[in-house]
Amino acid sequence: MNLNDALQSRRSVRRYEDRPVLREHITALLEAAESAPSAGNLRSRRYVVITRPEMRKVIAMAAFGQSQVQSAPVLVVVCADVKRSSARYGDRGSLYAIQDADAAVMCLLLAAHDMGLGACWIGAFDDLLVREALELQDGILPVAIISLGWPSESPAAAPKRHSEEMIRWIE
Ligand SMILES: Cc1cc2nc3c(=O)[nH]c(=O)nc-3n(C[C@H](O)[C@H](O)[C@H](O)COP(=O)(O)O)c2cc1C
């Protein structure tokens, strides 16, 4: 898929077919995620891939019962490795680690779209519940849950803001 087409046609997909996503597809997505830039090339991020139904249920609860988290056959929790980044960058490290994780999320979403998979970035969740459920070590911060599956909907494009509201040119 042409990159611009991919950028323009990607949507958050929240309904999925009831069929599994092969491990090789998931691995390819994680490789795409890891193509993202990172501060100092430290790659201060981690991924937790969840297909086990009981754990998906727990994470869905932590995401306030959002239906796409409950129904997705795969959840990928993308985490910032704040400890790793802060060891080099001090206070700035936590911001860099979150940015490293966010960049990876975006690459993963685009790769999923390119493969015909549907995905949604979930930011609304209880950090503590996710941390406990996944037994994340100190310094590992869950940044995003990505719900993933074969799409069973084709959502319309989300409304856009006027560019003048968002962009300031200094020429
Ligand atoms: C930081 C962040 C947090 C988000 N959290 C949620 C969420 O908790 N639940 C949800 O359904 N969508 C969530 N989204 C997806 C947005 O709702 C979606 O990207 C937006 O409506 C634009 O639609 P599009 O992705 O189809 O272009 C989140 C997106 C971002 C970037």
Side-chain angles (χ1 to χ4, degrees):
M1 196 185 290
N2 167 289
L3 177 59
N4 195 47
D5 289 346
L7 292 170
Q8 297 308 325
S9 61
R10 184 211 54 81
R11 303 278 176 270
S12 291
V13 174
R14 299 179 175 86
R15 290 178 194 276
Y16 312 100
E17 290 180 3
D18 185 18
R19 65 177 167 117
V21 178
L22 296 179
R23 198 184 175 101
E24 65 206 58
H25 286 123
I26 302 171
T27 306
L29 291 179
L30 297 173
E31 277 171 17
E34 270 307 287
S35 72
S38 68
N41 194 31
L42 287 181
R43 296 164 187 279
S44 302
R45 52 198 171 213
R46 306 271 189 98
Y47 309 90
V48 183
V49 181
I50 306 165
T51 55
R52 190 187 300 161
E54 308 85 61
M55 185 56 89
R56 286 195 276 123
K57 211 176 256 181
V58 173
I59 299 299
M61 272 163 38
F64 312 112
Q66 293 188 64
S67 60
Q68 71 275 28
V69 188
Q70 293 185 40
S71 63
V74 184
L75 300 174
V76 180
V77 182
V78 182
C79 303
D81 189 340
V82 174
K83 198 172 176 183
R84 181 175 174 81
S85 191
S86 298
R88 182 182 300 180
Y89 294 114
D91 289 346
R92 195 86 181 148
S94 55
L95 175 63
Y96 286 169
I98 291 168
Q99 290 176 334
D100 284 7
D102 284 340
V105 169
M106 200 57 235
C107 288
L108 197 158
L109 292 180
L110 285 172
H113 179 47
D114 186 44
M115 288 164 60
L117 284 157
C120 184
W121 179 329
I122 313 291
F125 58 86
D126 184 317
D127 287 11
L128 197 61
L129 288 183
V130 171
R131 293 181 54 80
E132 282 176 3
L134 302 181
E135 299 180 359
L136 299 178
Q137 296 164 357
D138 287 348
I140 306 294
L141 176 74
V143 165
I145 301 168
I146 301 174
S147 57
L148 195 66
W150 296 106
S152 72
E153 65 167 0
S154 305
K160 287 187 177 159
R161 278 175 70 185
H162 291 298
S163 56
E164 312 87 72
E165 284 183 277
M166 298 181 289
I167 303 171
R168 184 162 66 107
W169 295 83
I170 299 177
E171 295 176 303

